[in-house]
Amino acid sequence: MSAQIIYGDQLAQSLREDMKQEVKKLKNKGVVPKLVVILIGDDPASKSYVSGKQKAADFIGIDSELITLPSSTSETELLKLINDLNHSKGVNGILVQLPLPEHINEQHIIEAINPDKDVDGFHPISIGRLLTNQDTFLPCTPLGILTMLKSKNIEIAGKHVVVVGRSNIVGKPVGQLLLNEHATVTYCHSKTKDMSLYTKTADILIVAVGQAGFITSEHIKEGATVIDVGVNRIEDGSLTGDVNFEQVKEKAAYLTPVPKGVGPMTITMLMKNTIKAAIAQTK
Ligand code: NDP
C-alpha cells in the first residue's frame, strides 16, 4: 500500500482563493482586514516565515504591515508598541514573530496582546477557550492540521490520536483540538518510555518534535494517518520533516509531506483568523 499524500500547499491555495473572494465582499462593505506582524532581530528562519505570511496576505487582499525592530529592542518598548496596536482601531490582528531575543520574556509579550486581536491563538484566554471548547482564535498549526484531516474526510471521533511533542504552540493545542472533536488522545514527549508502544496504536499520529526522520515505519501501524509538523534543515540545505517519508508512505493510509504539507496551512489559518478578527471587530 502506498499512502495518499495530503498536499497542504494545494489545499492552502484553494482556501486562499475562497478567502480572496470573502475579503472582496468585506471590502465592498467597507471592512479591510488588517494584520500587523512584528519581527525583532534578523533570524533568517523568522524572516522567511514572515515573508510567507505577507505574500499570503497580499494574495488574499488582507492589509499587512510589517514592523521590524532591532534585536536590542527592550521588553518595555515592545510592550508599548503592542499597547498602541491594541488600541488602534484599524488593526484587527497582531502577531509577534517568535522566538524573541533572550532578554524579552515571551510570555509577557503573548499576554500583552488584546485577546480580540490574538490571531496566533497563543494568549492564555484563547487557550482557555480552546480547553473549554468555546469559540476562539485557534492556534494556526493545529487548526491547519484539523482542516487537512477534514479535507480528506478522515474520521476523528472515537479514533486514537497520538501526538508526539507537547509544545504550547503545536503539540498541546492540537491534542486538545482533536479531543474536542471526540478523539481519544495520547501525548508522547521526551520522557515517554517505549514511545512506539503508543505510536503503533495510533489511528492518527501527529509528530511535532523537530528531529529529521524521527518517526520510521517501525513506529506506526498499517493504515494510519501520519501528520508531519516538523521542519528540519538538513546538511544539503533542504527542508525535511520529522517522519521518514519514504518508509512511512509504504505503510500509512495518509501522509503529509515536508515541505508542501502543514507549513502552508499554518499561514493560511493565520489569514483565516485575521478575517475572523476583522468581522468580529466590526460587529
Ligand atoms: P518544541 O521544541 O517546542 O517541542 C518539541 C517537542 O518534542 C517537546 O515537547 C519535546 O519533549 C518533544 N521531544 C523531543 N525529543 C523527543 C523524543 N526523543 N521523543 C519524544 N518527544 C521528544 O517544538 P515545536 O512544537 O515548536 O516544533 C516542533 C517542530 O515543528 C519543529 O521542527 C518546528 O520547526 C516545527 N513547526 C512547524 C510548523 C509548521 O507550520 N509546519 C509550526 C510550528 C513548528 P519535552 O517537552 O519533553 O521536551
Side-chain angles (χ1 to χ4, degrees):
M1 185 169 80
S2 192
Q4 191 178 332
I5 309 304
I6 313 177
Y7 286 103
D9 61 337
Q10 292 172 7
L11 178 58
Q13 189 51 36
S14 103
L15 293 170
R16 288 178 198 187
E17 302 278 357
D18 295 347
M19 286 181 204
K20 191 175 187 165
Q21 298 311 316
E22 191 179 358
V23 167
K24 215 182 238 171
K25 285 187 196 146
L26 285 173
K27 284 185 175 168
N28 288 338
K29 291 189 213 154
V31 179
V32 184
K34 177 165 181 177
L35 170 70
V36 174
V37 177
I38 304 172
L39 173 65
I40 300 172
D42 44 23
D43 173 53
S46 293
K47 274 188 177 168
S48 133
Y49 291 140
V50 163
S51 112
K53 288 166 187 175
Q54 288 210 289
K55 258 191 218 148
D58 288 348
F59 177 82
I60 293 166
I62 290 173
D63 182 6
S64 84
E65 181 185 342
L66 172 63
I67 302 179
T68 46
L69 299 170
S71 47
S72 58
T73 305
S74 70
E75 186 173 311
T76 313
E77 285 168 321
L78 182 55
L79 288 171
K80 163 141 193 355
L81 172 62
I82 292 171
N83 187 49
D84 291 345
L85 295 170
N86 281 342
H87 290 98
S88 169
K89 268 218 147 65
V91 175
N92 305 116
I94 304 168
L95 181 146
V96 180
Q97 184 64 44
L98 302 177
L100 295 172
E102 272 184 13
H103 64 276
I104 301 179
N105 181 315
E106 214 162 88
Q107 205 53 35
H108 290 171
I109 301 306
I110 289 171
E111 292 187 23
I113 295 171
N114 178 346
D116 293 341
K117 300 188 178 187
D118 176 37
V119 286
D120 243 347
F122 294 165
H123 193 288
I125 288 188
S126 305
I127 293 170
R129 287 182 182 143
L130 165 61
L131 202 74
T132 51
N133 205 2
Q134 300 173 65
D135 183 37
T136 188
F137 293 114
L138 294 167
C140 302
T141 302
L143 181 57
I145 292 169
L146 178 64
T147 307
M148 290 172 99
L149 293 172
K150 287 194 169 170
S151 77
K152 295 290 178 192
N153 294 316
I154 293 166
E155 221 178 321
I156 301 169
K159 297 295 175 186
H160 186 205
V161 170
V162 176
V163 183
V164 188
R166 55 172 168 179
S167 69
N168 289 337
I169 61 169
V170 186
K172 278 185 208 161
V174 77
Q176 187 60 48
L177 189 58
L178 297 179
L179 178 66
N180 292 349
E181 296 286 327
H182 313 295
T184 303
V185 180
T186 301
Y187 290 94
C188 298
H189 46 78
S190 68
K191 305 287 185 290
T192 301
K193 292 196 170 67
D194 293 332
M195 192 188 69
S196 61
L197 272 183
Y198 307 98
T199 57
K200 270 184 180 164
T201 67
D203 299 304
I204 301 173
L205 178 65
I206 299 173
V207 191
V209 171
Q211 288 178 34
F214 180 74
I215 293 290
T216 65
S217 56
E218 295 290 297
H219 290 103
I220 70 157
K221 78 170 176 190
E222 192 90 38
T225 293
V226 181
I227 307 288
D228 189 354
V229 184
V231 179
N232 310 289
R233 198 166 288 282
I234 53 173
E235 275 163 21
D236 67 4
S238 63
L239 293 180
T240 189
D242 287 349
V243 174
N244 183 322
F245 187 86
E246 291 307 319
Q247 275 189 20
V248 169
K249 85 172 195 306
E250 298 307 324
K251 208 169 172 186
Y254 293 93
L255 175 61
T256 65
V258 179
K260 300 186 176 180
V262 175
M265 288 300 291
T266 296
I267 296 179
T268 305
M269 295 303 107
L270 173 67
M271 302 302 131
K272 185 180 168 133
N273 280 348
T274 304
I275 296 170
K276 181 183 169 101
I279 295 171
Q281 287 163 36
T282 42
K283 271 184 188 153

